[in-house]
């Protein structure tokens, strides 16, 4: 989306991308989930799951560190 002329710009959030881990986002953070619900973290730095294996999704629980379980056929 282009910026509106004369519109005040909010400070940008920094997102650190780790190809082998979560997205690290400067907080506080609100995440809108697929079902439309919103979850919030007020931490200074938030780890957002990028692999989808976290039991605490959308927050990372370090599940990406372990091999994925094979799915039942």
């Amino acid at each position: 989306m282009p910026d509106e002329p004369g519109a005040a710009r909010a400070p940008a959030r920094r997102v650190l991308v780790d190809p082998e881990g979560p997205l690290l986002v400067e907080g506080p953070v609100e995440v809108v989930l697929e079902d439309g619900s919103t979850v919030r973290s007020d931490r200074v730095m938030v780890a957002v799951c990028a692999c989808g294996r976290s039991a605490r999704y959308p927050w990372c629980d370090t599940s990406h560190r372990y091999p994925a379980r094979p799915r039942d056929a």
Side-chain angles (χ1 to χ4, degrees):
M1 279 187 258
D3 291 333
E4 297 285 330
R9 293 183 65 170
R13 292 282 180 210
R14 183 173 299 237
V15 177
L16 304 170
V17 179
D18 179 349
E20 296 180 16
L23 297 172
L24 299 175
V25 184
E26 290 181 354
V29 173
E30 285 187 359
V31 176
V32 179
L33 301 175
E34 291 178 18
D35 66 2
S37 63
T38 302
V39 293
R40 179 181 171 96
S41 175
D42 291 317
R43 299 183 105 181
V44 173
M45 185 68 71
V46 178
V48 178
C49 177
C51 72
R53 291 192 266 171
S54 175
R56 298 180 56 226
Y57 190 84
W59 315 124
C60 178
D61 68 358
T62 69
S63 293
H64 62 273
R65 294 181 184 172
Y66 308 102
R69 293 183 189 174
R71 294 184 179 201
D72 295 332

